[in-house]
Amino acid sequence: MKIETLAIKSTQMHDENTGAVSTPIYLSTTFERDSDGTYPSGYVYSRMNNPNRELLEKSLAALENGTDGLAFASGMAATTALLHCFKTGDHILTPDDAYFATNALIEEVFTPWGLEFTKVNMADLAEIKQAIRPNTKMIWVETPSNPLLKLSDIQAIAELSHTVGAICAVDNTWGTPLLQRPLDFGADVVMHSTTKYLSGHSDVLGGALILKENEPLVTKLRSIQKYTGGVPSPFDCWLVARGIRTLSVRVREQTKNAHALAEFLEKHPKIEKVHYPGLPSHSQFDIAKKQMTGGFGGMLSVQVVGDAQNAMNLTGKLQLFTTATSLGGVESLIEHRKSIEGPTSPTPDNLLRVSVGLENIEDLIQDWVEALG
Ligand SMILES: *Cc1c(COP(=O)(O)O)cnc(C)c1O
């Protein structure tokens, strides 16, 4: 089955009691046990599993062409669960431009905990190779990256990981399973912030890990999920599953809009540079074509001619782009990244990150025409 069909079929539960077509929400935290000690429904207690979470996890596994999915209360809870699989003295490579909170988690929580990290330019295979140590256990990839939309060659990095006995995990939040499926390129784990494109409406936090035929790691992660308890509520699971039902139409349209906006802005004299993997001017356009098989996504960033103030002023002039953090919702958002990330951030002063929504593209372009003046 193709992903559009999977997205619908995998999120629909057959409810024998009522025949409900939309999946019911099972709020019960506990489930009946028989006098012989068994649980006829297969469910025991909601932290361990519940019908809405199970449906979502199976759906996520299907979309990413994996065999096992694990849902969490946020993207950060999913990343934390994966990092809990390692022990003191294990070494992990991460991108020098990883998602802001991923980096903070590494520095403020897991480095004091005893894991070792080296930040590398994940777009540079030679630099990655050089940073590998005998105790390297994982390479963490985020592609396209935030906010410069740098790409990492998933296949090459996964192969390299395996030659040194490490696993390769990919944060596929920006790619989405519609556009890019890392497990097909040899990655071992896919991570998602389902807060973004998968749920798609800026109204629920969620995270996920997806694996393919990796029983030992899945078993370990199931224990961590169950006993650390960073799990999503049944209603959260329902909202993410409901978002998945329209993933393909949303992301395809957002990709079309972002591509058109990127092409328009690239030619504008008041824009210094556009970062979008679908532009032939992107220095890694070849990698984009190889692994973003479904399109180049709804995210782009631009460097405005001038300084930080010029860029900030522009966000005030745009009427159709709400100034707010986050991404992947149906509404267009814009954000000055440097002022969020702080003075030590390597992000250029004049950079704005744009999450393109489902508004009409002619309106979106006209908004920029007027704001740029
Ligand atoms: C938002 C995001 C996260 C963190 O997810 P939360 O759901 O906010 O915890 C991780 N990686 C990327 C790329 C993100 O955009």
Side-chain angles (χ1 to χ4, degrees):
M1 265 189 280
K2 299 276 195 287
I3 193 162
E4 295 84 352
T5 315
L6 282 174
I8 305 297
K9 292 312 286 178
S10 68
T11 48
Q12 190 164 357
M13 185 188 286
H14 180 63
D15 183 53
E16 281 177 13
N17 292 332
T18 64
V21 171
S22 169
T23 302
I25 304 173
Y26 297 89
L27 292 176
S28 186
T29 53
T30 187
F31 299 85
E32 276 184 6
R33 189 179 185 184
D34 271 354
S35 54
D36 65 1
T38 60
Y39 292 86
S41 70
Y43 303 106
V44 178
Y45 181 64
S46 207
R47 173 160 38 73
M48 326 254 256
N49 201 4
N50 65 69
N52 292 100
R53 194 170 94 205
E54 185 170 73
L55 188 77
L56 173 62
E57 291 182 335
K58 289 194 166 144
S59 171
L60 290 162
L63 296 183
E64 283 287 2
N65 203 12
T67 51
D68 299 273
L70 296 98
F72 294 89
S74 67
M76 294 313 299
T79 303
T80 297
L82 184 60
L83 289 172
H84 271 147
C85 292
F86 299 95
K87 58 181 196 307
T88 307
D90 284 348
H91 177 242
I92 293 166
L93 297 183
T94 61
D96 54 12
D97 57 350
Y99 176 73
F100 187 71
T102 303
N103 214 24
L105 177 73
I106 286 165
E107 286 178 2
E108 295 179 28
V109 180
F110 280 99
T111 299
W113 193 263
L115 298 189
E116 295 170 17
F117 297 90
T118 305
K119 287 179 201 166
V120 297
N121 177 3
M122 267 310 154
D124 183 342
L125 211 55
E127 190 179 324
I128 302 170
K129 259 185 206 156
Q130 220 159 36
I132 287 173
R133 301 185 201 155
N135 57 339
T136 302
K137 295 288 158 59
M138 176 163 78
I139 304 183
W140 176 268
V141 174
E142 192 185 313
T143 183
S145 78
N146 180 11
L148 287 172
L149 293 113
K150 284 197 316 195
L151 304 181
S152 301
D153 185 333
I154 298 170
Q155 189 173 24
I157 297 173
E159 274 170 20
L160 177 63
S161 308
H162 299 151
T163 61
V164 299
I167 63 167
C168 171
V170 178
D171 181 338
N172 198 31
T173 301
W174 284 30
T176 83
L178 185 80
L179 309 180
Q180 167 177 285
R181 279 186 290 281
L183 299 177
D184 291 353
F185 290 99
D188 302 278
V189 184
V190 169
M191 174 265 166
H192 275 287
S193 166
T194 57
T195 312
K196 315 294 168 53
Y197 287 102
L198 285 161
S199 64
H201 293 74
S202 311
D203 54 12
V204 60
L205 279 177
L209 298 174
I210 300 123
L211 298 89
K212 187 173 188 169
E213 289 159 9
N214 190 337
E215 203 46 47
L217 192 53
V218 169
T219 303
K220 208 166 176 175
L221 283 165
R222 285 267 171 234
S223 293
I224 293 167
Q225 180 192 39
K226 206 157 50 174
Y227 299 126
T228 64
V231 292
S233 75
F235 185 46
D236 290 351
C237 294
W238 187 89
L239 280 170
V240 177
R242 180 234 185 79
I244 287 172
R245 297 172 78 79
T246 54
L247 176 78
S248 57
V249 281
R250 280 185 291 105
V251 172
R252 203 163 277 139
E253 198 65 16
Q254 282 165 311
T255 293
K256 240 166 52 186
N257 281 355
H259 208 140
L261 184 62
E263 282 176 349
F264 165 77
L265 291 172
E266 192 174 41
K267 292 192 222 103
H268 200 288
K270 291 194 180 160
I271 298 294
E272 184 182 299
K273 185 150 182 57
V274 177
H275 304 275
Y276 186 69
L279 294 177
S281 61
H282 191 291
S283 64
Q284 297 168 294
F285 187 50
D286 283 350
I287 297 176
K289 283 188 291 186
K290 172 180 162 192
Q291 67 193 23
M292 300 188 82
T293 50
F296 307 106
M299 295 299 297
L300 59 105
S301 60
V302 296
Q303 288 176 252
V304 180
V305 172
D307 58 12
Q309 199 53 52
N310 283 69
M312 295 278 255
N313 289 348
L314 194 60
T315 63
K317 289 186 194 152
L318 287 161
Q319 301 296 309
L320 298 179
F321 292 76
T322 303
T323 306
T325 197
S326 199
L327 56 117
V330 295
E331 61 287 306
S332 290
L333 300 180
I334 191 160
E335 183 181 37
H336 184 253
R337 282 304 296 175
K338 176 90 171 211
S339 49
I340 292 264
E341 293 173 355
T344 57
S345 151
T347 297
D349 283 345
N350 61 346
L351 181 132
L352 297 173
R353 189 185 78 181
V354 186
S355 171
V356 183
L358 291 178
E359 302 87 350
N360 185 287
I361 185 58
E362 289 173 24
D363 291 336
L364 294 179
I365 289 178
Q366 188 56 28
D367 199 25
W368 280 85
V369 169
E370 285 164 24
L372 287 165

